[in-house]
Amino acid sequence: MRSLLFFHLFFFFSLLYPLSSTAQLYKLTTGLGSKLLSHPKPLKNPSPTRFFEVTKPVKVPKTKPCSSLVLQHDFASTYGKPPVIVPYSPPSHCPSQNFSKIVLEWTATCKGRQFDRIFGVWLDGVELLRSCTAEPKATGIVWTVEKDITRYSSLLLKSQTSQTQTLAVYMGNIVDETYTGVYHVNLSFHFYPADDSNLLKSGYGSRPDLILPISRNLPLNDGLWFEIQNQTHVEGKEFIIPKNAYRAVLEVYVSFHENDEFWYLNPPNDYIDVNNLTGSIPGNSAFREVLVSLDGELVGAVWPFTVIHTGGVNPLLWRPISAIGSFNLPSYDIEITPFLGNLLDGKSHGLGFSVTNALNVWFIDANLHLWLDNKSKRTQGKLLGHNSKSSSSISTSSMEGLNASFLIHSTRSISSRGWVKSSHGKMTTKTTQDFNFMNKMDISKNGNLQIVNQRIQVTNDLHTTLPSSSTYVVKSTKTFPLYLYYDIINQGNGSFVAKSKIKLGFNEKRSKKLGSTSSKIALKNLQKGRGNMHVEGNLVTNGTAATSQVYEYVDPKGCYFRNVSSSNGTILYDEASNSCTIRSSKDKGST
Ligand SMILES: *[C@@H]1O[C@H](CO)[C@@H](O)[C@H](O)[C@H]1NC(C)=O
Ligand SMILES: *[C@@H]1O[C@H](CO)[C@@H](O)[C@H](O)[C@H]1NC(C)=O
Ligand SMILES: *[C@@H]1O[C@H](CO)[C@@H](O)[C@H](O)[C@H]1NC(C)=O
Ligand SMILES: *[C@@H]1O[C@H](CO)[C@@H](O)[C@H](O)[C@H]1NC(C)=O
Ligand SMILES: *[C@@H]1O[C@H](CO)[C@@H](O)[C@H](O)[C@H]1NC(C)=O
Ligand SMILES: *[C@@H]1O[C@H](CO)[C@@H](O)[C@H](O)[C@H]1NC(C)=O
Ligand SMILES: *[C@@H]1O[C@H](CO)[C@@H](O)[C@H](O)[C@H]1NC(C)=O
Ligand SMILES: *[C@@H]1O[C@H](CO)[C@@H](O)[C@H](O)[C@H]1NC(C)=O
Ligand SMILES: *[C@@H]1O[C@H](CO)[C@@H](O)[C@H](O)[C@H]1NC(C)=O
Ligand SMILES: *[C@@H]1O[C@H](CO)[C@@H](O)[C@H](O)[C@H]1NC(C)=O
């Protein structure tokens, strides 16, 4: 009998759960995305455990927010059903209408046994939040996600269409005798009145005036996201923009599931063919990129951060400290202002999404943020230049049976330049995206041990010459390091112990310069974890896990530092500080 890692990694769930025709259930075949068997021991007055993702708190003014509970719902058997829909009206009841901050708050409780479920929140088709649920315990859990949604204020504060707006939430949950967890959810919006002159402003570099949804239209079943199923599959939408736009930014939301939930662990198809593993493990190698096209032409890309869902690798790692990005998945901005000249004709244009090497399934949609010239009905523009080049190489340094080593290097660069003339004057924009990717994968112990080292680096440059002939320059560099070690020790009878080690980082440096004023933001966010789990049938029966995380953020207005660690589900230490001195003294020596 061959003993392979992949048999466990990708197959032990299929025994219990019959594969349904519905897309999201493929996920259950992915052993790395497991869930914990919690024995429902009735405790006296058990208090729910609070799970959390480490992130800086949303900075809000000192004013009292005007809050509305926009949705209260229990998500039980919602899989493959239409999203939950409620009408939404702007907060006209609030005493002050001058807001400076808007915060979304998601609070949920759950008790019993349940998988991690992806979900999305949309207002009039514009996605406000993509997130993953926490996996519950028998004694119950609670978690809260707070997200600054001020950038969506044009949509939240006034009805863009003058009809009632529709808030939609989709979470595909399944409840039966084994998977008992029902997610009880409250969704609120908090509107903070401005405390000084800090009002919401529109204008270049500030909030957009209009946001168009590039997502699937209601009514439908499942989420409003497009589902990309393979590498040739393109999905997208037609849209028309007002003829007086002078800036456009496309915000892309991305999540990957089922055969591509752990795309960075997928070996190339060659390995699968040589070892007769067809159909039993996902392949197509460990490189993916989301490509965005406008009227068929490539205008930008997303090389996504490797979000690990709360059941991923070893679910014990993520309780109570959830993986980076899991409760608030990052979205990715692509500046498409240089292309406005092609879009201002009042006609319909098309945005399309595809994923290089994709396996089933990627959930992708986008919001088109537009800035409008309020003094003229018509702006003009012209695309001056557009360039894209890419390279990708995969080398196999060894392949002997199920032992193998692979190395992938990929790069891409996309740049564009164009001008737009509005009542403010003529403005020329140059934008560049530079991508760099490395994935080193070693498979040994006849397929039972897999070690992956990966690094993604993305630099976005925006250079705008404003009508005043001053310049607006934004440069952002994000680096996503990932190390994953996954070792299987077979125990016979289909049960096994999996030992895992992980390092997951999200780092960002951003600088902004308007004329002679400049500001800088830096984030370093690193999680380290190690764990063992014993798996029988399809369930984690017991195990241990330790996770630690250091989060360091600095911007011109202050700092946020957090140093937290958990072991076997209990917090060992948790230090939080707003002091920049602590941050800088501890900064020394780290890379
Ligand atoms: C604040 O809002 C009120 C209406 O609620 C408006 O009359 C007033 O002009 C606003 N103030 C500012 C500074 O915009
Ligand atoms: C939701 O809000 C209701 C009413 O305020 C409250 O009774 C309930 O406990 C809340 N549920 C959650 C999950 O926060
Ligand atoms: C037009 O927008 C500018 C900001 O870009 C704002 O200062 C001005 O008040 C607006 N004018 C009108 C008529 O809305
Ligand atoms: C890719 O997916 C699309 C949409 O499901 C399908 O029509 C097409 O046949 C698939 N292509 C391949 C090569 O599987
Ligand atoms: C793969 O299957 C073919 C045909 O069944 C067989 O000839 C070959 O030996 C197998 N290769 C391996 C590596 O098991
Ligand atoms: C694969 O590597 C293991 C050690 O990790 C070794 O024992 C085994 O013989 C190797 N198998 C092959 C086919 O080379
Ligand atoms: C292995 O599984 C079989 C069938 O489920 C069972 O009869 C047997 O007792 C198990 N053996 C061990 C060592 O658990
Ligand atoms: C699971 O429990 C068994 C029996 O108590 C123990 O021998 C084993 O080491 C545990 N496994 C893990 C991964 O903690
Ligand atoms: C985090 O706290 C632990 C325990 O107090 C300490 O050993 C470690 O040095 C701290 N790390 C940082 C970066 O401050
Ligand atoms: C977690 O469990 C492991 C294995 O039982 C043990 O070695 C470790 O000390 C535990 N950690 C804590 C903080 O209790």
Side-chain angles (χ1 to χ4, degrees), residues 297-300 335-342 381-388 414-420 426-433 461-465:
E297 193 173 6
L298 179 70
V299 293
E335 181 82 34
I336 56 169
T337 305
F339 296 91
L340 272 180
N342 298 342
K382 190 170 178 15
L383 178 66
L384 296 173
H386 174 46
N387 239 305
S388 172
I414 304 172
S415 62
S416 51
R417 207 161 57 85
W419 57 257
V420 179
K426 187 170 169 180
M427 168 182 111
T428 304
T429 303
K430 181 171 190 290
T431 165
T432 309
Q433 288 191 290
D461 262 305
L462 168 70
H463 189 283
T464 304
T465 311

mmCIF file of all heavy atoms in Angstrom, residues 297-300 335-342 381-388 414-420 426-433 461-465:
data_model
loop_
_atom_site.group_PDB
_atom_site.id
_atom_site.type_symbol
_atom_site.label_atom_id
_atom_site.label_comp_id
_atom_site.label_asym_id
_atom_site.label_seq_id
_atom_site.Cartn_x
_atom_site.Cartn_y
_atom_site.Cartn_z
ATOM 1 N N GLU A 297 -8.544 43.706 -22.955
ATOM 2 C CA GLU A 297 -7.121 44.029 -22.825
ATOM 3 C C GLU A 297 -6.711 43.992 -21.350
ATOM 4 O O GLU A 297 -7.419 44.514 -20.478
ATOM 5 C CB GLU A 297 -6.888 45.435 -23.377
ATOM 6 C CG GLU A 297 -5.448 45.766 -23.574
ATOM 7 C CD GLU A 297 -5.272 47.115 -24.293
ATOM 8 O OE1 GLU A 297 -6.286 47.804 -24.520
ATOM 9 O OE2 GLU A 297 -4.134 47.456 -24.600
ATOM 10 N N LEU A 298 -5.550 43.399 -21.071
ATOM 11 C CA LEU A 298 -5.072 43.289 -19.687
ATOM 12 C C LEU A 298 -4.781 44.670 -19.108
ATOM 13 O O LEU A 298 -3.973 45.422 -19.652
ATOM 14 C CB LEU A 298 -3.793 42.439 -19.673
ATOM 15 C CG LEU A 298 -3.141 42.246 -18.300
ATOM 16 C CD1 LEU A 298 -3.997 41.349 -17.424
ATOM 17 C CD2 LEU A 298 -1.749 41.662 -18.453
ATOM 18 N N VAL A 299 -5.440 45.018 -17.994
ATOM 19 C CA VAL A 299 -5.198 46.332 -17.389
ATOM 20 C C VAL A 299 -4.606 46.246 -15.990
ATOM 21 O O VAL A 299 -4.148 47.245 -15.434
ATOM 22 C CB VAL A 299 -6.475 47.205 -17.331
ATOM 23 C CG1 VAL A 299 -6.918 47.596 -18.728
ATOM 24 C CG2 VAL A 299 -7.607 46.501 -16.583
ATOM 25 N N GLY A 300 -4.611 45.061 -15.401
ATOM 26 C CA GLY A 300 -4.064 44.943 -14.056
ATOM 27 C C GLY A 300 -4.133 43.509 -13.587
ATOM 28 O O GLY A 300 -4.718 42.643 -14.243
ATOM 29 N N GLU A 335 -5.465 50.939 -10.273
ATOM 30 C CA GLU A 335 -5.758 52.274 -10.811
ATOM 31 C C GLU A 335 -6.006 52.134 -12.310
ATOM 32 O O GLU A 335 -5.133 51.662 -13.047
ATOM 33 C CB GLU A 335 -4.551 53.179 -10.548
ATOM 34 C CG GLU A 335 -4.697 54.603 -11.014
ATOM 35 C CD GLU A 335 -5.474 55.480 -10.027
ATOM 36 O OE1 GLU A 335 -5.355 55.271 -8.805
ATOM 37 O OE2 GLU A 335 -6.197 56.378 -10.500
ATOM 38 N N ILE A 336 -7.200 52.520 -12.770
ATOM 39 C CA ILE A 336 -7.431 52.414 -14.218
ATOM 40 C C ILE A 336 -7.726 53.774 -14.868
ATOM 41 O O ILE A 336 -8.193 53.843 -16.011
ATOM 42 C CB ILE A 336 -8.524 51.373 -14.570
ATOM 43 C CG1 ILE A 336 -9.832 51.674 -13.873
ATOM 44 C CG2 ILE A 336 -8.074 49.960 -14.215
ATOM 45 C CD1 ILE A 336 -10.966 50.815 -14.423
ATOM 46 N N THR A 337 -7.371 54.841 -14.145
ATOM 47 C CA THR A 337 -7.561 56.191 -14.668
ATOM 48 C C THR A 337 -6.955 56.386 -16.074
ATOM 49 O O THR A 337 -7.588 57.027 -16.922
ATOM 50 C CB THR A 337 -6.974 57.228 -13.684
ATOM 51 O OG1 THR A 337 -7.583 57.008 -12.408
ATOM 52 C CG2 THR A 337 -7.222 58.654 -14.127
ATOM 53 N N PRO A 338 -5.741 55.850 -16.361
ATOM 54 C CA PRO A 338 -5.178 56.069 -17.708
ATOM 55 C C PRO A 338 -6.101 55.566 -18.820
ATOM 56 O O PRO A 338 -6.016 56.054 -19.947
ATOM 57 C CB PRO A 338 -3.871 55.266 -17.677
ATOM 58 C CG PRO A 338 -3.485 55.220 -16.242
ATOM 59 C CD PRO A 338 -4.781 55.138 -15.485
ATOM 60 N N PHE A 339 -6.994 54.615 -18.511
ATOM 61 C CA PHE A 339 -7.871 54.040 -19.538
ATOM 62 C C PHE A 339 -9.188 54.808 -19.680
ATOM 63 O O PHE A 339 -10.028 54.452 -20.503
ATOM 64 C CB PHE A 339 -8.182 52.572 -19.216
ATOM 65 C CG PHE A 339 -6.952 51.710 -19.242
ATOM 66 C CD1 PHE A 339 -6.210 51.502 -18.093
ATOM 67 C CD2 PHE A 339 -6.525 51.125 -20.424
ATOM 68 C CE1 PHE A 339 -5.068 50.722 -18.111
ATOM 69 C CE2 PHE A 339 -5.376 50.342 -20.458
ATOM 70 C CZ PHE A 339 -4.642 50.145 -19.295
ATOM 71 N N LEU A 340 -9.387 55.861 -18.859
ATOM 72 C CA LEU A 340 -10.676 56.568 -18.887
ATOM 73 C C LEU A 340 -11.036 57.085 -20.278
ATOM 74 O O LEU A 340 -12.209 57.078 -20.665
ATOM 75 C CB LEU A 340 -10.678 57.724 -17.883
ATOM 76 C CG LEU A 340 -11.128 57.382 -16.463
ATOM 77 C CD1 LEU A 340 -11.089 58.624 -15.581
ATOM 78 C CD2 LEU A 340 -12.532 56.773 -16.461
ATOM 79 N N GLY A 341 -10.021 57.526 -21.007
ATOM 80 C CA GLY A 341 -10.270 58.030 -22.360
ATOM 81 C C GLY A 341 -11.085 57.069 -23.210
ATOM 82 O O GLY A 341 -11.879 57.483 -24.054
ATOM 83 N N ASN A 342 -10.904 55.774 -22.968
ATOM 84 C CA ASN A 342 -11.648 54.761 -23.735
ATOM 85 C C ASN A 342 -13.051 54.513 -23.178
ATOM 86 O O ASN A 342 -13.845 53.814 -23.804
ATOM 87 C CB ASN A 342 -10.902 53.427 -23.713
ATOM 88 C CG ASN A 342 -9.537 53.522 -24.371
ATOM 89 O OD1 ASN A 342 -9.285 54.470 -25.121
ATOM 90 N ND2 ASN A 342 -8.679 52.562 -24.086
ATOM 91 N N GLY A 381 -10.436 62.253 -22.229
ATOM 92 C CA GLY A 381 -9.216 61.573 -21.829
ATOM 93 C C GLY A 381 -8.582 60.834 -22.973
ATOM 94 O O GLY A 381 -9.181 60.666 -24.039
ATOM 95 N N LYS A 382 -7.351 60.405 -22.761
ATOM 96 C CA LYS A 382 -6.643 59.658 -23.800
ATOM 97 C C LYS A 382 -5.623 58.730 -23.149
ATOM 98 O O LYS A 382 -4.886 59.127 -22.254
ATOM 99 C CB LYS A 382 -5.933 60.626 -24.744
ATOM 100 C CG LYS A 382 -5.360 59.960 -25.994
ATOM 101 C CD LYS A 382 -4.917 61.033 -26.953
ATOM 102 C CE LYS A 382 -4.276 60.590 -28.234
ATOM 103 N NZ LYS A 382 -4.362 59.263 -28.704
ATOM 104 N N LEU A 383 -5.619 57.498 -23.620
ATOM 105 C CA LEU A 383 -4.609 56.538 -23.188
ATOM 106 C C LEU A 383 -3.344 56.809 -23.994
ATOM 107 O O LEU A 383 -3.382 56.829 -25.223
ATOM 108 C CB LEU A 383 -5.117 55.111 -23.445
ATOM 109 C CG LEU A 383 -4.170 53.958 -23.106
ATOM 110 C CD1 LEU A 383 -3.924 53.885 -21.599
ATOM 111 C CD2 LEU A 383 -4.753 52.625 -23.597
ATOM 112 N N LEU A 384 -2.223 57.059 -23.303
ATOM 113 C CA LEU A 384 -0.985 57.418 -24.015
ATOM 114 C C LEU A 384 -0.070 56.214 -24.226
ATOM 115 O O LEU A 384 0.715 56.183 -25.160
ATOM 116 C CB LEU A 384 -0.230 58.491 -23.232
ATOM 117 C CG LEU A 384 -0.948 59.833 -23.077
ATOM 118 C CD1 LEU A 384 -0.174 60.749 -22.145
ATOM 119 C CD2 LEU A 384 -1.144 60.501 -24.442
ATOM 120 N N GLY A 385 -0.171 55.237 -23.335
ATOM 121 C CA GLY A 385 0.700 54.072 -23.489
ATOM 122 C C GLY A 385 0.278 52.974 -22.543
ATOM 123 O O GLY A 385 -0.297 53.242 -21.486
ATOM 124 N N HIS A 386 0.566 51.749 -22.947
ATOM 125 C CA HIS A 386 0.158 50.619 -22.124
ATOM 126 C C HIS A 386 1.093 49.453 -22.408
ATOM 127 O O HIS A 386 1.373 49.157 -23.562
ATOM 128 C CB HIS A 386 -1.286 50.249 -22.467
ATOM 129 C CG HIS A 386 -1.754 49.014 -21.770
ATOM 130 N ND1 HIS A 386 -1.532 48.804 -20.425
ATOM 131 C CD2 HIS A 386 -2.421 47.931 -22.222
ATOM 132 C CE1 HIS A 386 -2.055 47.632 -20.083
ATOM 133 N NE2 HIS A 386 -2.595 47.079 -21.157
ATOM 134 N N ASN A 387 1.576 48.831 -21.348
ATOM 135 C CA ASN A 387 2.606 47.812 -21.485
ATOM 136 C C ASN A 387 2.411 46.696 -20.488
ATOM 137 O O ASN A 387 2.085 46.957 -19.337
ATOM 138 C CB ASN A 387 3.945 48.460 -21.137
ATOM 139 C CG ASN A 387 4.879 48.370 -22.289
ATOM 140 O OD1 ASN A 387 5.124 47.265 -22.780
ATOM 141 N ND2 ASN A 387 5.369 49.517 -22.723
ATOM 142 N N SER A 388 2.628 45.472 -20.909
ATOM 143 C CA SER A 388 2.615 44.377 -19.942
ATOM 144 C C SER A 388 3.653 43.359 -20.371
ATOM 145 O O SER A 388 3.719 42.981 -21.536
ATOM 146 C CB SER A 388 1.236 43.723 -19.909
ATOM 147 O OG SER A 388 1.303 42.564 -19.122
ATOM 148 N N ILE A 414 3.005 45.599 -15.282
ATOM 149 C CA ILE A 414 1.945 46.196 -16.105
ATOM 150 C C ILE A 414 2.013 47.705 -15.882
ATOM 151 O O ILE A 414 2.005 48.152 -14.733
ATOM 152 C CB ILE A 414 0.545 45.698 -15.693
ATOM 153 C CG1 ILE A 414 0.475 44.167 -15.744
ATOM 154 C CG2 ILE A 414 -0.542 46.304 -16.578
ATOM 155 C CD1 ILE A 414 -0.809 43.595 -15.170
ATOM 156 N N SER A 415 2.105 48.469 -16.948
ATOM 157 C CA SER A 415 2.101 49.918 -16.739
ATOM 158 C C SER A 415 1.229 50.597 -17.790
ATOM 159 O O SER A 415 1.031 50.075 -18.888
ATOM 160 C CB SER A 415 3.524 50.469 -16.779
ATOM 161 O OG SER A 415 4.079 50.238 -18.039
ATOM 162 N N SER A 416 0.697 51.740 -17.410
ATOM 163 C CA SER A 416 -0.152 52.483 -18.338
ATOM 164 C C SER A 416 -0.054 53.974 -18.027
ATOM 165 O O SER A 416 0.266 54.370 -16.902
ATOM 166 C CB SER A 416 -1.598 51.999 -18.238
ATOM 167 O OG SER A 416 -2.018 52.006 -16.902
ATOM 168 N N ARG A 417 -0.330 54.766 -19.036
ATOM 169 C CA ARG A 417 -0.198 56.208 -18.918
ATOM 170 C C ARG A 417 -1.311 56.853 -19.733
ATOM 171 O O ARG A 417 -1.622 56.382 -20.834
ATOM 172 C CB ARG A 417 1.165 56.623 -19.492
ATOM 173 C CG ARG A 417 1.771 57.889 -18.924
ATOM 174 C CD ARG A 417 3.268 57.916 -19.209
ATOM 175 N NE ARG A 417 3.533 57.798 -20.648
ATOM 176 C CZ ARG A 417 3.528 58.817 -21.500
ATOM 177 N NH1 ARG A 417 3.277 60.052 -21.082
ATOM 178 N NH2 ARG A 417 3.773 58.634 -22.778
ATOM 179 N N GLY A 418 -1.921 57.887 -19.160
ATOM 180 C CA GLY A 418 -2.977 58.557 -19.906
ATOM 181 C C GLY A 418 -3.345 59.871 -19.247
ATOM 182 O O GLY A 418 -2.957 60.127 -18.111
ATOM 183 N N TRP A 419 -4.063 60.736 -20.005
ATOM 184 C CA TRP A 419 -4.493 61.987 -19.384
ATOM 185 C C TRP A 419 -6.009 62.097 -19.374
ATOM 186 O O TRP A 419 -6.710 61.438 -20.158
ATOM 187 C CB TRP A 419 -3.849 63.208 -20.039
ATOM 188 C CG TRP A 419 -4.068 63.389 -21.524
ATOM 189 C CD1 TRP A 419 -3.168 63.119 -22.511
ATOM 190 C CD2 TRP A 419 -5.242 63.899 -22.188
ATOM 191 N NE1 TRP A 419 -3.706 63.416 -23.742
ATOM 192 C CE2 TRP A 419 -4.976 63.900 -23.575
ATOM 193 C CE3 TRP A 419 -6.495 64.348 -21.758
ATOM 194 C CZ2 TRP A 419 -5.911 64.324 -24.527
ATOM 195 C CZ3 TRP A 419 -7.429 64.777 -22.697
ATOM 196 C CH2 TRP A 419 -7.127 64.758 -24.063
ATOM 197 N N VAL A 420 -6.494 62.917 -18.433
ATOM 198 C CA VAL A 420 -7.919 63.227 -18.354
ATOM 199 C C VAL A 420 -8.044 64.731 -18.175
ATOM 200 O O VAL A 420 -7.304 65.335 -17.393
ATOM 201 C CB VAL A 420 -8.594 62.512 -17.148
ATOM 202 C CG1 VAL A 420 -10.075 62.872 -17.080
ATOM 203 C CG2 VAL A 420 -8.431 61.013 -17.232
ATOM 204 N N LYS A 426 -6.104 69.622 -16.730
ATOM 205 C CA LYS A 426 -5.615 68.382 -17.318
ATOM 206 C C LYS A 426 -4.687 67.664 -16.336
ATOM 207 O O LYS A 426 -3.829 68.295 -15.718
ATOM 208 C CB LYS A 426 -4.857 68.692 -18.613
ATOM 209 C CG LYS A 426 -4.452 67.457 -19.388
ATOM 210 C CD LYS A 426 -3.945 67.867 -20.762
ATOM 211 C CE LYS A 426 -3.288 66.725 -21.498
ATOM 212 N NZ LYS A 426 -2.805 67.135 -22.821
ATOM 213 N N MET A 427 -4.892 66.367 -16.246
ATOM 214 C CA MET A 427 -4.158 65.600 -15.254
ATOM 215 C C MET A 427 -3.615 64.355 -15.968
ATOM 216 O O MET A 427 -4.335 63.688 -16.697
ATOM 217 C CB MET A 427 -5.218 65.263 -14.228
ATOM 218 C CG MET A 427 -4.968 64.289 -13.203
ATOM 219 S SD MET A 427 -6.518 64.189 -12.255
ATOM 220 C CE MET A 427 -7.013 62.548 -12.746
ATOM 221 N N THR A 428 -2.319 64.085 -15.787
ATOM 222 C CA THR A 428 -1.712 62.925 -16.446
ATOM 223 C C THR A 428 -1.334 61.882 -15.399
ATOM 224 O O THR A 428 -0.703 62.212 -14.385
ATOM 225 C CB THR A 428 -0.467 63.343 -17.246
ATOM 226 O OG1 THR A 428 -0.857 64.364 -18.155
ATOM 227 C CG2 THR A 428 0.091 62.163 -18.038
ATOM 228 N N THR A 429 -1.753 60.663 -15.625
ATOM 229 C CA THR A 429 -1.541 59.587 -14.648
ATOM 230 C C THR A 429 -0.672 58.496 -15.250
ATOM 231 O O THR A 429 -0.918 58.048 -16.370
ATOM 232 C CB THR A 429 -2.898 58.961 -14.250
ATOM 233 O OG1 THR A 429 -3.736 59.982 -13.741
ATOM 234 C CG2 THR A 429 -2.717 57.893 -13.184
ATOM 235 N N LYS A 430 0.323 58.091 -14.482
ATOM 236 C CA LYS A 430 1.120 56.929 -14.873
ATOM 237 C C LYS A 430 1.034 55.926 -13.735
ATOM 238 O O LYS A 430 1.193 56.280 -12.561
ATOM 239 C CB LYS A 430 2.572 57.338 -15.097
ATOM 240 C CG LYS A 430 3.446 56.169 -15.527
ATOM 241 C CD LYS A 430 4.831 56.648 -15.950
ATOM 242 C CE LYS A 430 5.638 55.554 -16.605
ATOM 243 N NZ LYS A 430 6.094 54.492 -15.749
ATOM 244 N N THR A 431 0.742 54.700 -14.072
ATOM 245 C CA THR A 431 0.606 53.699 -13.023
ATOM 246 C C THR A 431 1.349 52.422 -13.413
ATOM 247 O O THR A 431 1.378 52.035 -14.579
ATOM 248 C CB THR A 431 -0.892 53.435 -12.717
ATOM 249 O OG1 THR A 431 -0.994 52.245 -11.964
ATOM 250 C CG2 THR A 431 -1.706 53.275 -13.966
ATOM 251 N N THR A 432 1.986 51.810 -12.415
ATOM 252 C CA THR A 432 2.752 50.585 -12.657
ATOM 253 C C THR A 432 2.476 49.567 -11.566
ATOM 254 O O THR A 432 2.405 49.914 -10.389
ATOM 255 C CB THR A 432 4.278 50.875 -12.656
ATOM 256 O OG1 THR A 432 4.531 51.960 -13.523
ATOM 257 C CG2 THR A 432 5.072 49.664 -13.106
ATOM 258 N N GLN A 433 2.306 48.323 -11.967
ATOM 259 C CA GLN A 433 2.237 47.210 -11.018
ATOM 260 C C GLN A 433 3.415 46.289 -11.324
ATOM 261 O O GLN A 433 3.589 45.866 -12.471
ATOM 262 C CB GLN A 433 0.949 46.409 -11.219
ATOM 263 C CG GLN A 433 -0.330 47.095 -10.772
ATOM 264 C CD GLN A 433 -1.480 46.091 -10.782
ATOM 265 O OE1 GLN A 433 -1.923 45.662 -11.844
ATOM 266 N NE2 GLN A 433 -1.956 45.706 -9.607
ATOM 267 N N ASP A 461 2.742 51.596 -8.146
ATOM 268 C CA ASP A 461 3.190 52.983 -8.238
ATOM 269 C C ASP A 461 2.135 53.805 -8.951
ATOM 270 O O ASP A 461 1.651 53.401 -10.005
ATOM 271 C CB ASP A 461 4.455 53.039 -9.113
ATOM 272 C CG ASP A 461 5.709 53.079 -8.288
ATOM 273 O OD1 ASP A 461 5.799 53.976 -7.441
ATOM 274 O OD2 ASP A 461 6.572 52.214 -8.512
ATOM 275 N N LEU A 462 1.833 54.955 -8.370
ATOM 276 C CA LEU A 462 0.901 55.868 -9.031
ATOM 277 C C LEU A 462 1.570 57.231 -9.075
ATOM 278 O O LEU A 462 2.048 57.726 -8.043
ATOM 279 C CB LEU A 462 -0.408 55.943 -8.237
ATOM 280 C CG LEU A 462 -1.379 57.052 -8.630
ATOM 281 C CD1 LEU A 462 -1.987 56.771 -9.993
ATOM 282 C CD2 LEU A 462 -2.474 57.189 -7.583
ATOM 283 N N HIS A 463 1.636 57.808 -10.246
ATOM 284 C CA HIS A 463 2.273 59.118 -10.387
ATOM 285 C C HIS A 463 1.326 60.000 -11.198
ATOM 286 O O HIS A 463 1.062 59.737 -12.360
ATOM 287 C CB HIS A 463 3.614 58.937 -11.113
ATOM 288 C CG HIS A 463 4.437 60.177 -11.106
ATOM 289 N ND1 HIS A 463 4.178 61.239 -11.930
ATOM 290 C CD2 HIS A 463 5.513 60.525 -10.370
ATOM 291 C CE1 HIS A 463 5.065 62.190 -11.693
ATOM 292 N NE2 HIS A 463 5.890 61.779 -10.746
ATOM 293 N N THR A 464 0.784 61.028 -10.549
ATOM 294 C CA THR A 464 -0.181 61.882 -11.231
ATOM 295 C C THR A 464 0.311 63.322 -11.255
ATOM 296 O O THR A 464 0.678 63.872 -10.209
ATOM 297 C CB THR A 464 -1.548 61.829 -10.513
ATOM 298 O OG1 THR A 464 -1.963 60.477 -10.431
ATOM 299 C CG2 THR A 464 -2.590 62.622 -11.261
ATOM 300 N N THR A 465 0.317 63.910 -12.419
ATOM 301 C CA THR A 465 0.613 65.337 -12.525
ATOM 302 C C THR A 465 -0.722 66.065 -12.504
ATOM 303 O O THR A 465 -1.552 65.887 -13.395
ATOM 304 C CB THR A 465 1.365 65.651 -13.835
ATOM 305 O OG1 THR A 465 2.443 64.719 -13.937
ATOM 306 C CG2 THR A 465 1.891 67.062 -13.840
#
